[in-house]
Amino acid sequence: MISYTKPQDHGNIGLIVTGHADYGPPGNDIVCAAVSAIAQTAAMGVARYDAKANIQIATDEGVAIACRDRPKTRAIIEAAVLGLDNLRQQYPQCFAQ
């Protein structure tokens, strides 16, 4: 199951995405591919606008992004959450409650 959170505190914002969808066989799981694309694109966008961002991408474990809460970084994180929320609506069996 995939889980994601948007932590924020003291002028920082982030996105943590972990887990596996188990929708299809490894290498052919369209839900995992979509989640990975959203999370990695968010990581690249945040890195472009916050040179001090802390980004960790572990293929088997997930993606963790922490950055300063600025209008552009907030928009990137919120857009990623919108995409993940949309996937969750389409494939609820793949996401943790």
Side-chain angles (χ1 to χ4, degrees):
M1 301 234 125
I2 294 169
S3 65
Y4 58 97
T5 58
K6 185 179 86 170
Q8 45 191 334
D9 66 353
H10 307 296
N12 294 307
I13 191 169
L15 178 64
I16 300 170
V17 182
T18 59
H20 294 280
D22 295 323
Y23 185 75
N28 292 304
D29 190 324
I30 61 170
V31 178
C32 269
V35 169
S36 293
I38 291 169
Q40 290 180 21
T41 300
M44 289 185 290
V46 164
R48 172 168 286 195
Y49 294 107
D50 184 356
K52 295 182 179 183
N54 181 4
I55 298 170
Q56 298 175 4
I57 299 175
T59 307
D60 290 335
E61 296 177 24
V63 175
I65 302 168
C67 59
R68 292 176 288 178
D69 189 354
R70 304 289 189 261
K72 288 182 181 179
T73 57
R74 175 171 283 278
I76 291 165
I77 296 294
E78 288 181 355
V81 170
L82 283 174
L84 294 168
D85 286 346
N86 184 271
L87 283 173
R88 183 182 201 157
Q89 289 174 356
Q90 294 179 55
Y91 303 96
Q93 71 276 20
C94 298
F95 288 81
Q97 297 290 33

